[in-house]
């Protein structure tokens, strides 16, 4: 059974191709029969099976596919040979293209761009103006935000939080630690911009230590140890190079 039809009226142009809106034929998920969705080029772009849907003014075209229970919202665009599937959600003005794949429970939003052969999966979150491309992969519960770039053969995973203008091209470009003395939360150091991401805090090592001491003596002493550890590691790497 088909769950939607393509409307011929009100087509738009995208990358030189004519795209048309979709209209639901049956109720499923939060979609009701008669609801108007986003734009597709053909039925190959959106599966009739599962609860996958294209909402608002979102676009899916070329050989791109959205299937299983994936959702594409707002002004997001999925094109070229990209795939969005399982429970993945694409929001905002995000763009997924090339041979990129976004799947599992991954969430991509803002003005983020995922392209090349990049893969975003797990419960990862990509937002802001972040870019993930090349053969890079982001998975687990990792977050990539702001103007950060993940590329090459880099893998960002686990509880890593890559923020600011960080550039990650391999696993040595960031370090994830765990706060074992109080909250048990994870925190991340990125080497390209020498910045620390700790909960709601984002800044230099010196700023982190100052903030930690304002919270408590214990917190200040422990974060000082980690900042010094990283400084020593950086010095050793510079000496070896």
């Amino acid at each position: 059974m088909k769950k939607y039809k393509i409307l011929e009226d009100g087509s738009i142009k995208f990358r030189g191709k004519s795209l048309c809106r979709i209209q639901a034929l049956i109720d499923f998920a939060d979609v009701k029969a008669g609801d108007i969705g986003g734009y597709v080029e053909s039925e190959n772009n959106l599966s009739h099976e599962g609860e996958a849907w294209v909402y608002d003014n979102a676009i899916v075209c070329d050989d791109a596919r959205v299937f299983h229970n994936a959702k594409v919202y707002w002004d997001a665009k999925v094109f070229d040979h990209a795939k969005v599937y399982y429970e993945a959600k694409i929001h905002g003005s995000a763009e997924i293209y090339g041979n990129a794949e976004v799947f599992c429970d991954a969430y991509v939003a803002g003005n983020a761009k995922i392209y090349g052969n990049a893969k975003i999966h797990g419960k990862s979150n990509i937002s802001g103006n972040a870019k993930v491309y090349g053969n890079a992969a982001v998975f687990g519960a990792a977050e990539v935000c702001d103007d950060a770039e993940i590329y090459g053969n880099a893998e960002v995973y686990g509880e890593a939080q890559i923020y600011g203008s960080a550039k990650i091209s391999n696993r040595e470009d960031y370090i994830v630690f765990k706060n074992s003395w109080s909250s048990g939360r994870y925190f991340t150091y990125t080497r390209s911009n020498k910045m620390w991401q700790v909960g709601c805090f984002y800044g230099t090592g010196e700023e982190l230590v100052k903030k930690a001491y304002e919270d408590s003596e214990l917190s200040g002493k422990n974060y000082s140890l980690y900042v010094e550890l990283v400084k020593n590691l950086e010095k050793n790497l510079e000496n070896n190079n």
Side-chain angles (χ1 to χ4, degrees):
M1 178 185 294
K2 290 189 175 183
K3 67 184 182 186
Y4 68 90
K5 65 179 179 179
I6 297 178
L7 303 175
E8 294 183 3
D9 295 337
S11 65
I12 63 168
K13 290 286 186 180
F14 177 70
R15 286 161 45 100
K17 295 186 175 182
S18 293
L19 311 181
C20 296
R21 283 197 181 275
I22 53 176
Q23 182 176 31
L25 298 173
I26 60 173
D27 294 352
F28 60 94
D30 60 348
V31 178
K32 303 298 182 184
D35 282 358
I36 303 298
Y39 295 90
V40 300
E41 183 180 353
S42 74
E43 291 186 8
N44 293 326
N45 299 133
L46 176 64
S47 175
H48 283 284
E49 299 179 358
E51 297 180 351
W53 191 242
V54 181
Y55 296 77
D56 308 314
N57 293 311
I59 286 172
V60 184
C61 64
D62 300 327
D63 294 320
R65 295 182 60 217
V66 176
F67 54 106
H68 293 140
N69 297 320
K71 308 284 195 296
V72 184
Y73 298 88
W74 299 352
D75 297 310
K77 297 174 178 61
V78 183
F79 54 99
D80 287 339
H81 304 284
K83 295 179 181 178
V84 180
Y85 53 104
Y86 292 141
E87 308 294 330
K89 292 180 174 60
I90 314 298
H91 275 260
S93 299
E95 295 186 1
I96 318 297
Y97 55 100
N99 293 305
E101 296 185 20
V102 181
F103 54 102
C104 292
D105 292 305
Y107 178 84
V108 181
N111 294 307
K113 290 181 170 53
I114 316 297
Y115 56 100
N117 296 308
K119 289 182 170 55
I120 312 298
H121 53 104
K123 293 186 176 181
S124 52
N125 185 322
I126 317 295
S127 61
N129 295 308
K131 295 179 181 178
V132 183
Y133 55 98
N135 295 309
V138 180
F139 53 98
E143 295 182 13
V144 181
C145 305
D146 302 328
D147 296 307
E149 294 187 24
I150 317 297
Y151 57 97
N153 294 309
E155 291 187 345
V156 174
Y157 56 91
E159 304 289 338
Q161 295 180 307
I162 311 300
Y163 282 44
S165 58
K167 304 286 190 295
I168 308 295
S169 62
N170 61 67
R171 183 59 186 84
E172 296 179 352
D173 288 339
Y174 70 98
I175 309 173
V176 179
F177 300 102
K178 185 177 183 179
N179 178 332
S180 58
W181 59 91
S182 60
S183 65
R185 68 185 175 193
Y186 293 85
F187 54 103
T188 306
Y189 171 75
T190 47
R191 295 185 59 209
S192 63
N193 56 356
K194 295 179 169 38
M195 298 291 273
W196 294 80
Q197 174 65 37
V198 185
C200 296
F201 170 86
Y202 182 73
T204 66
E206 290 73 15
E207 291 169 336
L208 171 59
V209 171
K210 180 181 178 181
K211 174 66 169 62
Y213 269 112
E214 291 173 356
D215 294 338
S216 72
E217 185 77 13
L218 176 64
S219 183
K221 287 181 178 179
N222 279 286
Y223 279 116
S224 292
L225 291 172
Y226 281 99
V227 170
E228 284 303 312
L229 171 65
V230 165
K231 284 182 178 179
N232 290 330
L233 288 173
E234 293 283 21
K235 286 179 182 178
N236 289 335
L237 286 171
E238 288 176 5
N239 291 335
N240 290 332
N241 291 332

